[in-house]
Amino acid sequence: DEGMMMQMPIAQAKERYGDRLRIAPLGAIPKVDDSLRTLHDGTHGAGVNPNLRVRDQLRCSGSSDIKHAVGELESRPGRSWGLTADVSRAHRRYKHKEDDWGLLACQLDDPEEVWLNLVGTFGIGCASYWWTRLFSIICRCASSLLLRDAVFQMLYADDLNWMTSGERGISAVMVALFFMSLVGTPFTWKKMAGGFTYGWVGYEISLEQHELGISLERANWLCDWIRKSLDSEHILVRDVVSVLGRLSFATGPLERLKPFLSHIYAW
C-alpha cells in the first residue's frame, strides 16, 4: 500500500532482469515491543552483499564527539539538556533505481510470483550508506537554520541526539525538530526521550554531572560475561571476537579500560 514493494510473475521478472534477479530467503527478528522485523538475507544464496563495492566511508557520531559536546556545554551558561529521536523504518525511506529492483527480490507462498523491493531493505549492505546520504541533507539544512546557537546535533544511523544549554538552546532544538518534521521525516514519537540524564545508542549521558558512560544494560551484560568466563576458565575464540566489539565500544567513554584490551588485539 505504501509503494515499497511490487508483485510480479516470476517469468516476467526473469525476462526483465535475467541474472540480476536474486531471490533472497526471508527471516524475522523479534523486537523489544514484541513485533517482528523482516530480514531480507542479501548475503547467503542471493549473493548481493558480497558483490557490493563501497564508494565512500561513513562516519557516525561517537564517544569522542559526545565528550567534546559535554565539555563545551559545561562551560556555557544555562542548564545543559538533551533530546533524542528515532526515525521510523529509516532503511526503507530511500528509493532504489528500477534497474536494481531485481537484486532485491523475495518470495512468499506462491512459487510463480516474486516480490520486488523498490526501496532500501533491511539485510542489504548498502542501506546504511544511502540512508545516511539522504538524511545528512536534512540534518545539514536543519543545522543551518540554527545559525550561531550552540546546539550539538548528532546522528548515529537513524538515531538523533541534540545537546544544548539554556532557554535559547532548547528553542533552537525545537526549530530543528520542526523543520525535519515539516519536510516529512517520519519520527517514532513514542521513542522520543531525553532530559538531563538519558541514554543514546548504548551510551549514558549525564548533563547534570557532565559525564559520559555506558548504559547499565551494557555494563551488566559485560560484567556477567566476564564473570562467567573467569568461572569456566575457558572460552571459544569466536565468542572473544564478538565480545571484543562490545568491549571496544565500552572503552570509548571508559578510557581506563583500553590498556586491558591491547593484549587481546595483539594476540
Side-chain angles (χ1 to χ4, degrees):
D1 292 343
E2 296 181 11
M4 294 183 177
M5 301 187 76
M6 181 175 68
Q7 193 175 13
M8 181 180 292
I10 191 169
Q12 181 182 347
K14 288 180 178 179
E15 181 180 356
R16 178 179 297 186
Y17 294 107
D19 61 359
R20 285 176 61 83
L21 179 65
R22 308 290 178 86
I23 301 176
L26 297 177
I29 301 175
K31 299 169 69 174
V32 293
D33 60 357
D34 294 328
S35 64
L36 295 172
R37 181 193 296 274
T38 304
L39 174 64
H40 181 105
D41 188 353
T43 301
H44 304 92
V48 176
N49 288 337
N51 290 289
L52 290 176
R53 294 296 176 264
V54 179
R55 294 171 46 157
D56 311 296
Q57 290 186 341
L58 297 178
R59 184 179 185 274
C60 293
S61 303
S63 58
S64 59
D65 303 291
I66 301 175
K67 287 178 182 178
H68 174 76
V70 169
E72 281 286 317
L73 293 175
E74 187 174 18
S75 63
R76 290 182 176 272
R79 196 169 183 187
S80 302
W81 172 86
L83 179 69
T84 65
D86 175 85
V87 180
S88 170
R89 293 186 294 173
H91 58 285
R92 297 186 69 71
R93 299 301 177 182
Y94 67 89
K95 297 179 180 180
H96 274 294
K97 294 189 301 182
E98 186 173 351
D99 291 345
D100 293 335
W101 292 354
L103 299 172
L104 307 170
C106 59
Q107 284 184 313
L108 297 179
D109 295 330
D110 189 350
E112 299 302 319
E113 299 282 337
V114 293
W115 286 87
L116 306 179
N117 282 284
L118 317 185
V119 297
T121 307
F122 188 75
I124 296 296
C126 60
S128 60
Y129 175 81
W130 290 115
W131 158 252
T132 302
R133 289 181 68 88
L134 170 65
F135 198 52
S136 291
I137 300 170
I138 298 174
C139 288
R140 286 169 178 163
C141 290
S143 295
S144 69
L145 296 175
L146 307 185
L147 303 177
R148 299 181 61 85
D149 290 327
V151 175
F152 293 93
Q153 178 179 267
M154 301 184 184
L155 176 67
Y156 191 101
D158 58 351
D159 290 296
L160 274 159
N161 178 26
W162 290 281
M163 303 169 66
T164 187
S165 63
E167 180 182 352
R168 183 169 174 175
I170 294 176
S171 298
V173 171
M174 293 301 104
V175 169
L177 184 59
F178 174 74
F179 168 77
M180 290 182 175
S181 302
L182 193 67
V183 297
T185 304
F187 287 115
T188 305
W189 295 105
K190 64 181 180 180
K191 291 185 179 180
M192 282 272 180
F196 307 112
T197 299
Y198 60 95
W200 183 61
V201 297
Y203 295 115
E204 189 76 8
I205 304 171
S206 172
L207 295 178
E208 290 185 303
Q209 305 298 324
H210 292 93
E211 295 176 342
L212 175 66
I214 61 173
S215 67
L216 183 62
E217 181 183 5
R218 282 181 179 264
N220 286 338
W221 191 95
L222 287 171
C223 289
D224 289 343
W225 184 87
I226 292 170
R227 192 178 298 112
K228 290 176 182 176
S229 300
L230 290 173
D231 291 342
S232 65
E233 297 186 345
H234 71 276
I235 185 173
L236 296 174
V237 173
R238 64 173 178 265
D239 289 344
V240 176
V241 173
S242 62
V243 173
L244 195 55
R246 290 175 176 257
L247 288 168
S248 298
F249 179 90
T251 63
L254 308 178
E255 293 183 354
R256 61 185 179 276
L257 298 178
K258 283 187 176 181
F260 297 97
L261 296 188
S262 59
H263 62 286
I264 304 180
Y265 276 108
W267 177 70

